[in-house]
Amino acid sequence: MATPPPLLRRVAAAILLLLVSLASAPAARADLVITRADRKVDLTSHIVRVLTSLKVENSGPEPVSQFLLAFPNVQAKNLAAIRAFGTEGKVKGASTLLPIEVVQPSGVPPELTFFSASLSKALEERKTLHLDVLTVFTHSVQPFPEEITQAESQLVVYQDSAQYLSPYPVKVQTLSIRLPGGRVESYTKYPNAKLSDSELKYGPYEDLPPFSYSPMVVHFENNNPFAVAKEVIREIEISHWGNVQITEHYNIAHGGAKLKGEFSRIDYQSRPYIRGVSSFRHLIARLPPRAHSIYYRDEIGNISTSHLWSDSKKTQLEVEPRFPLFGGWQTTFTIGYGLPLQDFVFSSDGKRFLNITFGSPMEEILIEKLIVKVVLPEGSKDIEVSVPFPTKQGQEVKYSHLDIAGRPVVVLEKPDVIPEHNLYFQVHYRFNNISLFREPMMLITGFFLLFMACIVYMHTDMSISKNSPSYLAKAQWDEIQSIIQQIQAVFDQSLAVHDKLEATLRDLSRSGDVQSCKAARKAADAQFKELAKELKPLLTSLQSSPQSYQIWPKVEELVTKERDLQDKLMTRHSTVVDSFEKKLRGQDVENRIAVQQQKVAALRQEVESLLEYISEI
Ligand SMILES: *[C@@H]1O[C@H](CO)[C@@H](O)[C@H](O)[C@H]1NC(C)=O
Ligand SMILES: *[C@@H]1O[C@H](CO)[C@@H](O)[C@H](O)[C@H]1NC(C)=O
């Protein structure tokens, strides 16, 4: 690297500050000495795992029951999980998980975050303890450059200290960094630094004082899927009829270097491993062994290109989105599956409890916000939740068919969830078996009532068919509809005559043929009379039908309006013909008929909408 990238410069500045304050840090806490510290950093994925093996000795007279772990704040803010296992004695044996909490010892630099592990038994003078500390960091391998083209490999940067940062002196220490195996652009070359194949080693370093810190940076190729879920909603619904239904909604992005420039699908399809080396195509979900009814869909529909394998230990689902994901690209999808109730819901002390893993079954995924919803059966009471790490907890109610009071829903929310959070959690609740039969009873009662209604109906109605009131009512209604259709046909013809009459007026202004215009008017008169004669019996029978009370006023209105329209049309027709014979100027004719024109147009509209209304019954 010719000029240090801005990212590195920024980090270097932060580290400098840190070193200044470390120099003034107080000497060792208690009298602990780390006789050996071996750190193994795994950088093969985008989630960084650091395993630190420590051999600790108490060199002082006082027994010690707390062990402090220190991290620079820049690192601590990305710490997603920390676990410490302790074993007392010279040789390693069975280890116990130690409780860990954040502490603020006095007189330490503010740039450091401290955790304290409580030893299961105080460490006596001259005694030795083995500690294995697992720390998992997110957002700690940064793409550099931040944007790459389709064909470029993704390069990333990781920073740490070549020496173990600890409030205790360290006698011997090593650091070993496992890389994914591609190109290594550069790394900080301290004495005793060595790169071989995909392993970068620092040390051994001996006899370092407390708070020793030497910043190191490694810049290397990493094309493994940087699968980051912006949000996952995981719903676990318990049905005491034998099923636990899981539905998971994902919004996943490629969290690596952003794709710059055009994406060429043709390039990608011809040589996906060269022309899309930084992208990823699938994700693997490891489901419980007896998962069934598995589906995978996105907003378009079910996706059948997913693959499924299963054996007695697991069911593996390969999820393949519709397009490869490049840096910055996103996709949303849902997977769902059923699990046997007896594998996950148990009873104890008259209560039931769900015991199931918390996180997503997707491999190596970072979930920036995970919401787990446990939907309990309707009528569940005394709900208690126990999760092995802090979560934000709330409750909701979910309604589905046949629910009356709704189902209680436990809502758990946690940021920055990694595979290490895939631990078991429990939801305890009290549930009365009677409640289980409420919904089936509702169904049975419902069917019974329906059945009874059918019997009653058959007896009263079908057996006396043609004289039954409902049959008659239906027959009458059919008749009304047929009359309405005929009335409609009459009015349609009438409107056609209107149109024809209008057309003769237009012809008149062109040809000046007054005689044919008058003849047309006479013909129209005759047609209107004819239509009126046709309409009369239809109106009479409609009016006499008892079921027409709703439609009748509208039909009546239609008749009046149409008659009005006829009158207006005729008046206008006479006016125009008359003006023409008197040889009035065009403008004067326009003035005389303007008002009539408006009335005709308004009436025509009313007639048409009434016709539409009655046609819709
Ligand atoms: C998708 O598949 C699931 C399970 O096979 C099925 O229940 C669901 O109805 C399907 N959905 C569509 C839209 O085909
Ligand atoms: C939950 O299930 C796991 C795996 O079967 C088991 O190891 C654990 O003890 C169970 N937890 C409880 C509280 O039953």
Side-chain angles (χ1 to χ4, degrees):
M1 279 172 291
T3 51
L7 179 73
L8 300 192
R9 251 182 286 148
R10 208 168 57 226
V11 171
I15 287 167
L16 218 64
L17 201 71
L18 183 67
L19 289 177
V20 170
S21 45
L22 289 188
S24 62
R29 329 238 107 219
D31 289 317
L32 294 181
V33 174
I34 297 175
T35 50
R36 184 161 186 112
D38 295 301
R39 279 186 300 150
K40 291 194 167 67
V41 180
D42 185 346
L43 297 184
T44 53
S45 95
H46 64 128
I47 299 171
V48 175
R49 295 183 173 83
V50 181
L51 186 66
T52 309
S53 294
L54 302 168
K55 223 164 117 183
V56 185
E57 199 183 287
N58 187 359
S59 64
E62 297 294 317
V64 179
S65 55
Q66 299 285 327
F67 182 83
L68 291 179
L69 298 156
F71 300 91
N73 291 347
V74 281
Q75 220 175 8
K77 79 176 197 308
N78 294 324
L79 181 66
I82 177 165
R83 268 170 224 164
F85 299 87
T87 326
E88 214 191 320
K90 283 233 172 339
V91 285
K92 280 200 174 182
S95 58
T96 46
L97 180 63
L98 307 179
I100 289 189
E101 58 179 357
V102 180
V103 288
Q104 269 192 311
S106 57
V108 294
E111 290 81 7
L112 295 183
T113 304
F114 284 85
F115 290 87
S116 167
S118 308
L119 308 182
S120 38
K121 205 171 105 216
L123 192 65
E124 306 285 342
E125 186 181 359
R126 296 285 145 216
K127 284 279 191 308
T128 308
L129 171 81
H130 286 278
L131 272 181
D132 283 321
V133 183
L134 171 71
T135 42
V136 189
F137 299 93
T138 61
H139 302 105
S140 296
V141 277
Q142 296 290 345
F144 187 84
E146 287 171 16
E147 290 188 349
I148 55 174
T149 62
Q150 183 178 346
E152 275 178 302
S153 248
Q154 174 173 268
L155 293 170
V156 296
V157 170
Y158 175 74
Q159 309 122 25
D160 205 333
S161 165
Q163 292 160 358
Y164 179 55
L165 177 64
S166 171
Y168 312 110
V170 185
K171 283 200 171 146
V172 182
Q173 61 172 298
T174 62
L175 168 66
S176 149
I177 299 176
R178 202 171 139 226
L179 302 169
R183 226 160 71 220
V184 177
E185 290 283 297
S186 66
Y187 62 95
T188 311
K189 296 187 178 66
Y190 286 123
N192 282 3
K194 193 169 148 232
L195 174 70
S196 59
D197 292 333
S198 52
E199 195 171 30
L200 177 60
K201 283 187 163 166
Y202 287 92
Y205 299 115
E206 288 174 13
D207 290 325
L208 290 171
F211 296 109
S212 296
Y213 192 95
S214 338
M216 58 77 49
V217 176
V218 55
H219 188 202
F220 61 101
E221 185 177 352
N222 187 346
N223 287 312
N224 289 323
F226 276 38
V228 179
K230 300 285 166 205
E231 183 176 279
V232 174
I233 300 173
R234 186 161 193 257
E235 190 180 279
I236 302 167
E237 179 154 7
I238 298 173
S239 157
H240 280 166
W241 293 98
N243 194 41
V244 175
Q245 180 64 37
I246 316 265
T247 313
E248 295 169 351
H249 306 279
Y250 288 86
N251 173 8
I252 285 193
H254 184 312
K258 303 240 182 314
L259 179 71
K260 74 173 175 202
E262 287 286 299
F263 166 67
S264 157
R265 186 170 279 276
I266 297 170
D267 271 1
Y268 178 80
Q269 271 163 352
S270 58
R271 292 187 293 167
Y273 293 101
I274 300 172
R275 297 282 165 191
V277 61
S278 67
S279 69
F280 63 92
R281 274 218 83 114
H282 14 248
L283 293 162
I284 307 278
R286 283 177 191 274
L287 310 179
R290 298 212 282 158
H292 60 85
S293 323
I294 298 164
Y295 68 88
Y296 161 45
R297 66 178 155 79
D298 62 8
E299 60 269 39
I300 304 174
N302 275 354
I303 304 180
S304 51
T305 54
S306 50
H307 303 288
L308 196 65
W309 301 272
S310 60
D311 57 33
S312 61
K313 291 216 179 63
K314 61 174 190 305
T315 304
Q316 192 162 309
L317 173 71
E318 185 184 273
V319 166
E320 182 170 338
R322 287 179 204 263
F323 49 85
L325 283 186
F326 280 90
W329 291 17
Q330 296 196 17
T331 184
T332 57
F333 60 84
T334 301
I335 65 173
Y337 46 96
L339 299 171
L341 182 75
Q342 70 269 29
D343 291 4
F344 299 94
V345 176
F346 309 91
S347 42
S348 83
D349 301 336
K351 278 186 107 171
R352 288 163 204 256
F353 69 98
L354 169 79
N355 181 27
I356 200 166
T357 49
F358 183 81
S360 147
M362 294 286 172
E363 280 186 346
E364 277 308 87
I365 186 178
L366 160 65
I367 305 172
E368 290 180 346
K369 181 175 167 194
L370 173 65
I371 298 170
V372 175
K373 297 186 176 188
V374 179
V375 184
L376 298 170
E378 194 177 20
S380 300
K381 284 197 274 298
D382 300 343
I383 301 161
E384 280 165 45
V385 184
S386 112
V387 192
F389 35 76
T391 53
K392 200 171 123 192
Q393 304 189 358
Q395 280 213 14
E396 290 178 356
V397 178
K398 179 180 173 171
Y399 292 92
S400 54
H401 42 269
L402 297 183
D403 285 350
I404 295 174
R407 305 177 184 212
V409 182
V410 173
V411 184
L412 306 171
E413 196 180 314
K414 176 163 174 48
D416 288 331
V417 176
I418 48 167
E420 274 72 10
H421 291 121
N422 239 342
L423 301 174
Y424 282 86
F425 76 103
Q426 293 82 33
V427 178
H428 295 259
Y429 59 98
R430 215 175 276 286
F431 180 76
N432 191 337
N433 269 332
I434 298 291
S435 312
L436 191 56
F437 293 101
R438 197 185 52 73
E439 287 186 0
M441 281 318 289
M442 268 167 63
L443 280 179
I444 291 166
T445 315
F447 279 121
F448 178 74
L449 290 178
L450 185 69
F451 189 63
M452 288 309 288
C454 283
I455 291 175
V456 172
Y457 179 76
M458 303 271 273
H459 274 89
T460 54
D461 208 357
M462 291 325 213
S463 54
I464 42 171
S465 62
K466 293 213 165 172
N467 292 326
S468 74
S470 68
Y471 179 87
L472 288 178
K474 170 131 183 29
Q476 276 174 6
W477 186 242
D478 285 347
E479 201 189 327
I480 285 177
Q481 275 182 322
S482 134
I483 296 173
I484 293 280
Q485 273 167 18
Q486 294 175 55
I487 291 176
Q488 237 179 308
V490 171
F491 279 107
D492 285 343
Q493 286 179 51
S494 182
L495 288 183
V497 177
H498 293 186
D499 290 342
K500 232 190 277 170
L501 211 53
E502 295 265 320
T504 62
L505 287 185
R506 283 196 296 275
D507 286 347
L508 178 65
S509 61
R510 247 190 309 113
S511 64
D513 187 351
V514 177
Q515 286 320 309
S516 77
C517 202
K518 282 186 170 167
R521 155 100 195 241
K522 220 177 215 163
D525 265 337
Q527 275 170 310
F528 281 141
K529 284 215 178 77
E530 201 60 40
L531 289 171
K533 229 186 272 172
E534 252 179 73
L535 190 62
K536 204 161 179 208
L538 293 173
L539 291 177
T540 315
S541 54
L542 183 68
Q543 196 181 9
S544 67
S545 172
Q547 285 194 54
S548 70
Y549 67 93
Q550 267 181 323
I551 192 80
W552 177 249
K554 289 286 179 188
V555 174
E556 235 182 346
E557 194 185 345
L558 175 62
V559 172
T560 325
K561 288 271 152 85
E562 200 269 344
R563 204 159 285 154
D564 202 6
L565 178 58
Q566 268 184 35
D567 288 348
K568 293 275 184 323
L569 262 180
M570 290 307 193
T571 317
R572 189 159 68 107
H573 200 268
S574 314
T575 315
V576 176
V577 174
D578 187 39
S579 320
F580 209 84
E581 278 177 330
K582 286 187 184 149
K583 303 213 175 352
L584 292 180
R585 282 188 310 127
Q587 189 56 49
D588 294 338
V589 180
E590 291 291 315
N591 290 345
R592 284 181 69 183
I593 63 167
V595 178
Q596 294 170 347
Q597 183 80 36
Q598 271 173 15
K599 280 185 192 151
V600 167
L603 276 169
R604 173 75 184 228
Q605 208 158 24
E606 277 179 274
V607 168
E608 277 176 1
S609 65
L610 280 167
L611 266 176
E612 201 168 314
Y613 177 87
I614 65 162
S615 74
E616 275 165 8
I617 66 156

